Amino acid sequence: MLTITDLSHIYPNGVKAISSLSLTIPKGMFGLLGPNGAGKSTLMRSIATLQTPTEGAIQFGEIDVIKQPAQLRAQLGYLPQEFGVYPRVSALQLLDHFARLKGFSKPVERKEMIEGLLNQVNLWGVRKKAVASFSGGMRQRFGIAQALIGDPKVLIVDEPTAGLDPEERARFLNLLASLSDEAVIILSTHIVEDVSDLCPNMAIMAGGRIVLEGNTSDLIAGLNGKVWRKVVPRAEVAQYQSQHRIIATRLFAGETVLHALSENDPGNGFSPLQQGLEELYMVTIQEDRGLLPQTS
Amino acid sequence: MFWTVARFEAWYQLRNVYVLAWAFLSFAVTLGIFVFEPMRIDPGVSLTMTSPTYLLGVYIGIAVSLIVPMTPILGGAVVRDLQLGSGELLRATLITRTGYVFGRFIGAFLPIVLIFLLHIPLIWLACEWPGLPPNKFPDIKLAALLQPAAIAASTLVIIACILFAVGTLARSTLVSYIIVALLLGAWIFVLSKLRFGGYEDMRNALDWTGFSSVFIANEARSIFERNTELLAISREFYYNRAGWIGIGASSLFVAWFLQGIRGGLWGNRQVDSATGSIAPEVGPLKLYRNQIDAAAFRTQIWARLTLDLKRIVVSRSFALLMLGGMYLCWVIANNTGSFGDRGIEPVTRLLVNELHDASVFIIFLTSSIFASELVWGDTDRRIHELVDVTPTNTWVYVAPKLFVICAASLSFILVGSVVGMIAQAVKGYPLFEVGKIAVWLWVPMLFTVFQFSVAALLCHSITPNKVWGWVLYLALTAGLSTLAANLGFDHVLIEYGVSELPPLSDFNGLAHFWKGFAWLHMHWTLVALFLLLCTILMWRRGVEQRLKPRFLALKGNLRSANGLALAAFCLASLGSGGWIFYNTNIVNTYVTDTGYNQWAAEVERTVAPLEVLPGPTIVALKLTVDIRPKKVTATAKGTVTLENRTTRPLTQFIFNHSDLTLVSASMPGAALKEEVKNAYVDVWTFTKPLQPGERRDLSFETSMDGHSVASRYPPTSIVSNGTFIESTDLVPRVRIDREAWLTDPEERKKYGLPAKRPLPAAMMDENFYAPGSGWIDADITVSTDVGQIPVAPGILVRETIKDGRVTRQFRPPVKINNLFAIQSANYVVKRERIQLDNGPVELEIYHLPGFTRNLATIMTAMKSSLKTFSELYGPYPFGVLRIVQTPSYGAEDIAAQAYAGMVPFYEDGGWLQIIDETAYSNNLSETVAHEVAHMWWGHQIVPSMRPGAKVLTEGLAEMTSWLALEDLFPAELIISYVNEAEDAYENKRGKETEGEPILTMMEGEEYLAYGKAPVALYILRNEIGPEAFDAALRSFIKRYAFADRPYPNLEDLLVALKAAAKPEVHALIDQFFTDRVRWRTEISSLDATKPNKSGSVVSVTAGAWTESLDELGMPYASAGIGRGRIQLFHSVPCDKEQSKSWTKFMTAEDTKSGIGECWASEEVATFTVDFKRTLGRFQFDIPSAKWVETVQIGQAQRFRISTISDSQSRSETFFPPHDFLPSQKPK
């Protein structure tokens, strides 16, 4: 279990990226959602020992992550949102390099693991190509492979499926799911389906704070019977927005579809909508921003 | 399209904050140099700051400094499109490759040009600034402002082209900076190392600024000419510019070409072939758990080491630096075999010294560049987050980087050494003395490399970016010590690292000096280890930029193994530093540069009043010196006999022991009265006054210790083999001397001293070499270890060997100066004897075994000199003449010195010189002759301390040495020495900032003593007549040899010369000695009609006049030389005899280059004309059908002043050349 207590981080330029954040992350997949600038990356870098938070504590089991970063690193897998590679180094060589850095001194063991990982992320065919020449998706798959070296007990992945095609995305999600029993896996993403599909627990961050946290199914169930939909002419959207708590305006088959939040049937032709995580995310963020008007 | 691209690029670059900041800085500094007194770079007393000469230096400085912003701007003008990916967008437009490349170049270069051009009005404004001293800032002329700007602008264009091409080729700003560093390094090398030794042509060609050609063309000009006339531009300058502009233009073409090939913007695109393949069947993933143990640590270290090694070794910067380093080592190794303009054997000791200088430069460059690359490499590639979350100990990052940086630096040194040895072999020294290089260079450099590599790593690891890392590194390694020195705190414990080598000699190798350096190395290596631990404990991981958390991490880790090691190294370095401080500052007195100057100023103020104190004269010396080579010590016991040569009783005297370590001193009837604090000068009183003519003995005991702890410049007098002690280090004196006083006018002003302190009348008539001493009766006994031979002036009267000690007693047969040397080494002696008219003279050459190359040459020159001088000027009085090989410690530029009957000859200048058997003469014989001449001029005749004294010593010794060489070499070729001396004078006088004194007022100006004076005396010898002149000198010696006060002075010599000269020569004597007169001759044109049967008509425009100059070189009067001649010649091939005679003196190189072709000038006609003050046009009818190709003009039979050939005018200045002067010896 990973426990974060009163974590704050202020950058030298005065930006307060995280503010008194407390969070408990159990074993298994944990989804972290939030808009750009919410502080997700700062939080994950802090957990990954890449920066020292200004205040607060991070505990993983018996390990004080801030005071004993080396002990966490021995059990850590990390995939940042963006990363570069060494020029003219093949996927096989680079993965081998990371395996060595992670302490794998036995060549046979290292070889078997690296080849397995290359297979898992479907890079076997290009294992001898320079990683620098990979496309975005291929590079992302390489990043996933290196994060998995060493069977990490804490796996932090930031936007892992960005740039992956649907097939590779599915492959990756399956891979993550297979690891989730023994490890704390933090999945930060903007793709809410990834969280809803994989993560039994989740949190939504905004403004450096956790604004919603809990069991994913329970949180979604909380909106049961409260989300409504209606197809409206585009010209009338503003009118509906003033009359209802509109949480989303969508286009579907060329028509404008409004999603509204209401305890009861808002009438006016709205029909019930099977709510999902996306609606929960929109409601949470808009409520946090104070953008959701109260109905009269 | 070209202009569109250029306009955009110029607009883009002009908005670049970096460019604007640099422009602002450059403007501010330039303005400050002119108007802000503390920033002013004063060109000297006489050169004005509006002169083209000074302005050229300023413009070149501006152009070179603009390289800094030009490097990223021009280097990145094209590359940024490749890096940012905007190239594809550009290629999709109508822009052509030519328009793009040249447009980008012009556009990027325009802001730089604009910045440079704006300096011109800025400098004009600065020169017109109100309140500036008018003598420094006379009215500036537009041409003077523009001409040097144009010269510097050409440099700017050249370097811009090269930088643009380099940036396009390398696609790396770092590589561009390395190229710039190499260019600047090569430039500094060219300017500093190729100044002498016949490398002028190479210097002209290689200097990409063109400055050297201009410098050489203006070198001999007077200050007046430099202030008032535009810079003289030689053909070499135009050749240089044409060549380098060609290189620049070619570079641009290369840049254009590179854009069209694969990888360039207009080349074929590289297709990404790394596509995914169909995924194989994927089974369950089997992941292993890692185990962080010792094996893992080794694996991690190896992984990082191989990666970092590859990163550096296969990088373009490494290859470039290696090539540059090899080139540098090749050039300097080639330069090793020279001593001034002499070719000497490139022994390993000299090679090591040269390689060491290059190594220090390379270490600084490589450690700085590679540390930044290795520390910031992962961050630059954005892979640092992946790497830094791995479970690696910080050692895994730091140790491999440190190893790679050290290995890279050492590989440069090793490869440079190999290159150096190959160069040695090529130059005829194929011994490949790897052992010597290893011990002398590699071992100390190993520590130096470690110290500097650690510093570079630390600086880059604690700073937020590369630039700050470089700044901090520069500050730590150079800035700190410079700042400390400026603040008066310079100390071996402040100057980071050890970048000096112990003094080397073929006598001893490293001698005992390595011990002091070992202390320094140990201390700075301990400091480096401490810094290494700091680096590890504060290593940046991830994205952390703040220092505070890293300091906290360091603090938190103090109880770890690393922390304990940190504490241990801290204590150890404090301990070693404390030991060094104890030795340098407590046991000894540590004198900083500033402290020394303060002390010297204080001493001068304190003791100057004592100069007027009358004192006794030393008339005899009995000295016993005990040299202990193994212990590196010496002790001396002795007595000096003092005599009152005044007319009044003396009640006190000065006891000066400022250069020696006094153990005790006593004198019956005298006692210490007053110690002049810190000046090492005491005032003693005679309890019973010393009566006129009375003599008393003063006994003393002194000591010397050659040991030093941690001194970068240890004392070198006493060594295990090759001890050289001057008498002033052992024997106290009885007058104030000015050795320690400050001489630099600025320093004197800074410490409140008068610009010059005139010598008081009481000192004027003292012995020039040894004030307070007369000619002394000397009895010197020297003992040393068996195996060595002690040497001192005088006849050897006794030699004993007892208890492992050899003792020799020397007694000169005549009185000598109280200035001599004592030496001891494992010598072998070559002895011969020469029978002169007044008896035999023993000739002894003391040299190290194996140094026999030039013994015959030296011996021959000794004989010839003794024979010539004894015939011309009187008997040689010392009975024995010894030439003694001496280590070159601290005397690398000196060939030899002369004492009575003894000439210490430094190892570089004499023993290694390669005598070219085909050459017509050699400098070694000239040096021997010069030093032997001092046995008359200096050790028989010693002048008083009045101005002009050195004419009687160095001037006469130099001039008469040329006469001695006439026996050895063809007489007509001796003139080359005269011309060398004249050239040296002409070159140096142009740099005189204090104003050139006339010879009768000369004090320490060596260019007058060794240049003007001997040439003037040589000309006068011919004017007066050799026999009359030599007779005059013979009489002069007869009258003044070994004569005590009054010692002769220059006035006495002139009286003697005038007595021997006809009245019409007196004016010439005065012109040379009491005036500054320059002969100016010029032939500006030669026109001849085509010869036919009736002959031809020849027109010559020529002039010959003299100019009288003031001390600043400004002419204040001129006069035509009157009746002179114009001789017309045509050229004919040499006949057989002429060719034979000519080629006798030609070297193989001369023959190869065509110089060996022999043409003779055949005189067609001679006309007598009247030369006025200005150029005149003369027309002659020639009744001959010969082409007139050459003209010479001159005065009567005296001077050939100037020639013209192929219509190329040539002018001569100051002295009439002497090619036609008869060079005769009396029969």
Side-chain angles (χ1 to χ4, degrees), chain A residues 44-65:
Chain A
M44 286 189 292
R45 283 201 196 103
S46 298
I47 299 169
T49 73
L50 290 172
Q51 65 187 33
T52 311
T54 318
E55 285 176 20
I58 304 171
Q59 191 81 22
F60 177 66
E62 299 297 314
I63 301 169
D64 182 334
V65 174

Side-chain angles (χ1 to χ4, degrees), chain B residues 361-381:
Chain B
F361 174 68
I362 286 171
I363 289 170
F364 183 82
L365 211 59
T366 49
S367 56
S368 175
I369 289 172
F370 293 146
S372 73
E373 171 64 17
L374 290 172
V375 172
W376 290 102
D378 284 356
T379 308
D380 289 347
R381 296 185 178 97

Side-chain angles (χ1 to χ4, degrees), chain A residues 45 50-52 78 80 84 86 97 100-102 105 112 119-120 122 125-126 133 138 146 150 153 171, chain B residues 272 274-275 277 279-280 282-283 288-290 299-300 304 311 378 381-383 385-386 541 543-544 546:
Chain A
R45 283 201 196 103
L50 290 172
Q51 65 187 33
T52 311
Y78 177 62
Y86 297 121
H97 182 71
R100 288 166 186 263
L101 290 187
K102 289 199 174 185
S105 54
E112 188 181 343
N119 259 323
Q120 287 287 345
N122 196 21
V126 291
S133 67
M138 291 162 73
Q146 66 79 31
K153 294 298 161 214
R171 184 197 294 269
Chain B
D272 183 1
T275 53
S277 59
V282 179
Y288 294 94
R289 289 305 312 277
N290 50 353
T299 306
Q300 291 167 333
R304 291 310 286 183
R311 201 189 283 185
D378 284 356
R381 296 185 178 97
R382 294 180 296 120
I383 199 172
E385 291 192 22
L386 296 186
R541 286 182 84 136
V543 294
E544 190 60 78
R546 297 165 298 167

Side-chain angles (χ1 to χ4, degrees), chain B residues 350-430:
Chain B
L350 297 173
L351 175 70
V352 164
N353 278 327
E354 294 286 346
L355 285 177
H356 170 261
D357 293 345
S359 299
V360 171
F361 174 68
I362 286 171
I363 289 170
F364 183 82
L365 211 59
T366 49
S367 56
S368 175
I369 289 172
F370 293 146
S372 73
E373 171 64 17
L374 290 172
V375 172
W376 290 102
D378 284 356
T379 308
D380 289 347
R381 296 185 178 97
R382 294 180 296 120
I383 199 172
H384 58 301
E385 291 192 22
L386 296 186
V387 173
D388 289 341
V389 296
T390 56
T392 41
N393 186 310
T394 309
W395 279 99
V396 171
Y397 298 107
V398 179
K401 292 183 193 335
L402 181 61
F403 178 84
V404 170
I405 298 167
C406 290
S409 296
L410 289 170
S411 68
F412 287 124
I413 296 171
L414 291 175
V415 171
S417 302
V418 172
V419 170
M421 284 188 281
I422 293 170
Q424 266 184 313
V426 170
K427 295 195 77 171
Y429 192 84

Side-chain angles (χ1 to χ4, degrees), chain B residues 47 51-54 56 143-144 147-148 151 204 209-241 1078 1080 1082 1209 1211 1213:
Chain B
L47 197 66
S51 64
T53 306
Y54 182 75
L56 177 65
Q147 190 209 24
I151 293 171
N204 275 341
T209 65
F211 180 76
S212 295
S213 320
V214 180
F215 179 80
I216 291 169
N218 290 273
E219 199 170 25
R221 296 179 117 196
S222 70
I223 295 286
F224 172 72
E225 288 170 318
R226 292 176 195 213
N227 282 340
T228 55
E229 295 178 16
L230 289 180
L231 295 161
I233 303 296
S234 61
R235 269 182 301 179
E236 284 75 15
F237 174 78
Y238 292 116
Y239 294 154
N240 172 287
R241 292 296 81 182
R1078 177 172 56 189
R1080 290 294 301 266
E1082 191 172 337
S1209 68
S1211 65
T1213 57

Side-chain angles (χ1 to χ4, degrees), chain A residues 98-118:
Chain A
F98 280 118
R100 288 166 186 263
L101 290 187
K102 289 199 174 185
F104 287 94
S105 54
K106 296 174 184 162
V108 176
E109 198 176 271
R110 208 165 54 227
K111 184 170 182 286
E112 188 181 343
M113 182 173 60
I114 289 168
E115 289 180 350
L117 279 167
L118 285 168

Side-chain angles (χ1 to χ4, degrees), chain B residues 1108-1152:
Chain B
S1108 295
L1109 310 175
D1110 67 13
E1111 62 181 17
L1112 298 181
M1114 188 182 293
Y1116 62 85
S1118 68
I1121 65 166
R1123 285 174 66 80
R1125 66 175 182 217
I1126 292 183
Q1127 288 173 286
L1128 309 176
F1129 298 87
H1130 85 142
S1131 299
V1132 291
C1134 291
D1135 58 29
K1136 278 186 182 175
E1137 280 305 309
Q1138 285 171 324
S1139 289
K1140 200 175 166 186
S1141 166
W1142 178 248
T1143 51
K1144 179 182 167 188
F1145 304 116
M1146 291 298 103
T1147 63
E1149 280 184 12
D1150 289 337
T1151 310
K1152 205 187 301 174

Side-chain angles (χ1 to χ4, degrees), chain B residues 67 70-71 74-75 158-168 176 179-180 183:
Chain B
I67 290 175
M70 279 163 73
T71 305
L74 283 157
I158 291 161
I159 198 70
C161 295
I162 293 173
L163 284 176
F164 186 74
V166 166
T168 309
S176 297
I179 295 283
V180 166
L183 272 174

